[in-house]
Amino acid sequence: MAQYEPADIVAAPPDVRAEESRLRKDLGFWGLTAIGFSNILGSGWLFAALYAAQTAGPAALLSWVGAGVLCALVALVMVELGATRPEGGGTVRWPLYASGRLVGTLVGWSVLLSVGGTAAEISAIMQYAAHYVPGIYHDGRLTATGLGVATALSVLLTALNWFAVRMFARLNNLVSVFKVVVPVVTIVALFLSGTHSGRLTEHGGFAPYGYAACLTALAGGGIVYSVNGFQAPLDFSGEARDPRRTVPAAVLTGIGLAVLVYLGLQLAFLYTVPESLLAHGWQGVSFDSPFGQLALVLNLHWLATLLYADAVVSPGGSAYVGVAIDARHTYALAKNGLLPRFFMHIDPRSGIARRALLLNLAVIIVFMLPFGGWQDIVSVMGDMYLLIYAASAVAVASFRAHDRERGLPLTEGQVPGVRWIAPLSFAVATEFVYWSGWHDLRLALPLVLAGVPLFLLQRRRAEGPPTREELRQGAWLVCHLAALTLLSWLGTFGGSGRLPAPYDSVVVAALSFAVFGWAVRSGAAHLRMTRNGRQLT
């Protein structure tokens, strides 16, 4: 693939180029790996082992392996984009470049909504902190007092990100060390406390609720949300030293380390839950703070103390990274024109988009009002992330198709096999969205589709009504989301069941590959038009 130059696709205005040049390139391999790993290993490790076991029993182990493999496929697509097209907030910019304003607006809108992921981490801190500070969390939601404490924490995390990228990386490295040590200590301590043999075959067998439950556990058990976050180094590719070498290695290393830790935690949970709690099977096991309460039941009070402390540090570290990533996304949204250019201003001394930080602080606080609980937030956020991944798969295939039309050779940064990895990762992301179930999709997909009137309003204000070509080139995503909503209602993952299993998942796969081909053709046509004189800003 030809080396990316923004001018090949879009002639950026002088103010955009001036702000882009102020980004500091201070991040190396270990800094990027720590950012990715810290973003993955957040509140998920404190909750997902319980929810996954409740959903699939011991077969949840297969869900973790599957999530790691499939996320690696999606990551390889995004790695090529990050290595060959390094840019701050790239996950927002690439779909705009490849598919035009309509797709760029819908993806950007999803990114703006996904700031709720940071709110989920803060909510998790409140839930565990309630063990020591009663009254801040009740019945799965923040109380008025808890909302005040969460707001203060959000302000603190924003203040920490207010300073230079180098300081951000150093602080995150320190937090990441603690986040690695505590889960590993938890795994070792639980196994040393004594295990119960036969846990993978007793109490209903290895898959007591059927192997289809492994699919449900991907979303309903919090596994997708837990493994999500591997894209974090890509969003810092514009601030990385030697991004073609360091970004791919950091992304894949982060995924591998995180999946190993999650598998260890899942096994420790399965083997050490007391027999008395399994009278009603794995679905009958219930903890408000899973590993903390399990440690108390096993008389590991020192471990419980450590876990309740880490329940603040781990989600806090992910929230810390999340605030930084959200700022880069908001910066990119301002570059796309979805937000006023006011929010893409880079402070010349620190190299930070401080106005974007302030906007995201407001969004985080507002998001915690209707979604006060961790599980409520992550059930919707996972779908937002997956839609962004799907759009990235289309982007890389569109870029490659356009390069082939121009007769350009492949260059450094190309990922071997991406021609089949891209459609597969698009289908995987779509299946993950579908498997999250009707209960979540009936909220998430209409929220994303609300970006369509936003696009029409934005386009009318800027240049008048959108052209027929713009609508046609972005129609694939609107139709894809509408069809997914219908199939979710018809299917067996929380829907009406009119489309039985496994045919529902087969239909979703067929839809995915058909839409992918449509999307790539539309993207290549858009890139031809852009190159022939039309510009995006």
Side-chain angles (χ1 to χ4, degrees):
M1 178 174 289
Q3 181 177 353
Y4 167 69
E5 294 293 342
D8 283 350
I9 300 171
V10 53
D15 60 334
V16 173
R17 294 196 299 269
E19 298 296 342
E20 190 81 10
S21 66
R22 294 178 179 176
L23 292 173
R24 305 285 182 84
K25 298 185 181 297
D26 287 335
L27 298 175
F29 168 74
W30 289 113
L32 290 168
T33 299
I35 288 171
F37 183 76
S38 180
N39 202 42
I40 296 173
L41 203 65
S43 59
W45 84 266
L46 297 163
F47 293 97
L50 168 66
Y51 294 139
Q54 288 177 336
T55 304
L61 294 168
L62 298 179
S63 301
W64 287 110
V65 174
V69 172
L70 297 178
C71 283
L73 288 176
V74 176
L76 287 172
V77 168
M78 301 186 77
V79 157
E80 177 164 316
L81 290 169
T84 61
R85 294 165 169 80
E87 184 171 1
T91 52
V92 178
R93 295 293 281 175
W94 299 320
L96 172 72
Y97 290 150
S99 300
R101 286 190 180 95
L102 177 53
V103 172
T105 300
L106 287 173
V107 173
W109 178 241
S110 299
V111 169
L112 195 60
L113 293 174
S114 69
V115 73
T118 302
E121 301 302 308
I122 295 173
S123 179
I125 294 172
M126 295 297 102
Q127 184 169 338
Y128 269 78
H131 179 75
Y132 295 107
V133 188
I136 62 174
Y137 204 90
H138 182 67
D139 289 337
R141 301 187 64 83
L142 293 173
T143 64
T145 302
L147 183 60
V149 176
T151 299
L153 180 57
S154 301
V155 171
L156 174 62
L157 293 171
T158 300
L160 290 173
N161 274 283
W162 194 264
F163 302 100
V165 172
R166 189 182 298 276
M167 180 178 292
F168 165 82
R170 288 172 178 172
L171 288 174
N172 185 64
N173 287 344
L174 293 175
V175 173
S176 296
V177 170
F178 191 71
K179 290 175 67 175
V180 173
V181 170
V182 175
V184 171
V185 169
T186 299
I187 294 169
V188 173
L190 289 178
F191 273 114
L192 291 178
S193 70
T195 59
H196 302 271
S197 61
R199 279 301 174 79
L200 300 185
T201 55
E202 297 175 352
H203 304 287
F206 182 71
Y209 313 115
Y211 284 95
C214 296
L215 305 179
T216 305
L218 288 168
I223 291 176
V224 167
Y225 179 82
S226 298
V227 177
N228 176 69
F230 60 82
Q231 82 286 0
L234 296 165
D235 290 305
F236 288 84
S237 59
E239 298 156 83
R241 299 189 301 270
D242 191 12
R244 290 186 177 183
R245 182 181 62 84
T246 57
V247 170
V251 170
L252 296 177
T253 301
I255 292 175
L257 292 175
V259 169
L260 287 176
V261 171
Y262 279 123
L263 280 172
L265 289 164
Q266 188 69 66
L267 283 168
F269 185 85
L270 292 171
Y271 274 103
T272 59
V273 169
E275 197 73 25
S276 59
L277 299 180
L278 288 167
H280 301 287
W282 292 103
Q283 291 180 342
V285 180
S286 179
F287 293 117
D288 291 330
S289 49
F291 282 109
Q293 288 179 279
L294 178 59
L296 290 174
V297 169
L298 298 175
N299 292 318
L300 298 173
H301 295 279
W302 65 270
L303 179 61
T305 301
L306 181 63
L307 285 167
Y308 279 107
D310 184 65
V312 174
V313 174
S314 286
S318 288
Y320 175 49
V321 175
V323 168
I325 293 171
D326 292 339
R328 282 142 180 90
H329 284 161
T330 301
Y331 165 86
L333 291 174
K335 287 172 65 177
N336 285 8
L338 182 61
L339 294 174
R341 286 276 165 78
F342 173 84
F343 291 107
M344 70 167 292
H345 175 71
I346 302 293
D347 179 74
R349 290 183 296 177
S350 65
I352 297 295
R354 288 180 169 175
R355 294 173 184 175
L357 279 174
L358 293 176
L359 176 62
N360 286 334
L361 172 62
V363 173
I364 290 170
I365 294 171
V366 170
F367 204 95
M368 284 188 289
L369 294 175
F371 299 101
W374 185 87
Q375 193 170 11
D376 292 336
I377 296 174
V378 303
S379 62
V380 175
M381 287 305 100
D383 294 326
M384 303 295 180
Y385 300 140
L386 290 165
L387 291 172
I388 297 167
Y389 302 159
S392 297
V394 170
V396 76
S398 298
F399 289 138
R400 281 202 168 201
H402 184 56
D403 286 344
R404 286 196 298 272
E405 290 179 358
R406 297 164 60 191
L408 297 177
L410 299 176
T411 61
E412 183 182 1
Q414 174 210 7
V415 175
V418 81
R419 293 187 65 178
W420 65 265
I421 291 174
L424 182 59
S425 64
F426 182 87
V428 166
T430 301
E431 291 282 15
F432 274 26
V433 170
Y434 173 71
W435 291 334
S436 67
W438 171 244
H439 177 76
D440 297 334
L441 291 184
R442 64 183 180 180
L443 298 175
L445 296 186
L447 275 175
V448 177
L449 287 170
V452 174
L454 180 65
F455 161 75
L456 296 175
L457 177 63
Q458 170 201 12
R459 185 69 173 80
R460 184 178 294 274
R461 286 181 174 178
E463 303 175 33
T467 65
R468 185 174 300 177
E469 290 81 4
E470 282 182 314
L471 295 176
R472 184 167 59 246
Q473 289 166 6
W476 66 267
L477 182 54
V478 177
C479 293
H480 190 50
L481 295 176
L484 265 180
T485 304
L486 176 62
L487 288 173
S488 181
W489 177 71
L490 291 172
T492 58
F493 287 83
S496 63
R498 289 178 172 85
L499 184 61
Y503 302 108
D504 52 348
S505 294
V506 172
V507 171
V508 170
L511 170 73
S512 301
F513 288 116
V515 170
F516 181 82
W518 175 16
V520 173
R521 289 192 297 272
S522 297
H526 165 72
L527 289 168
R528 283 196 301 273
M529 292 182 64
T530 303
R531 191 163 187 81
N532 290 335
R534 298 188 61 184
Q535 295 182 350
L536 297 172
T537 55

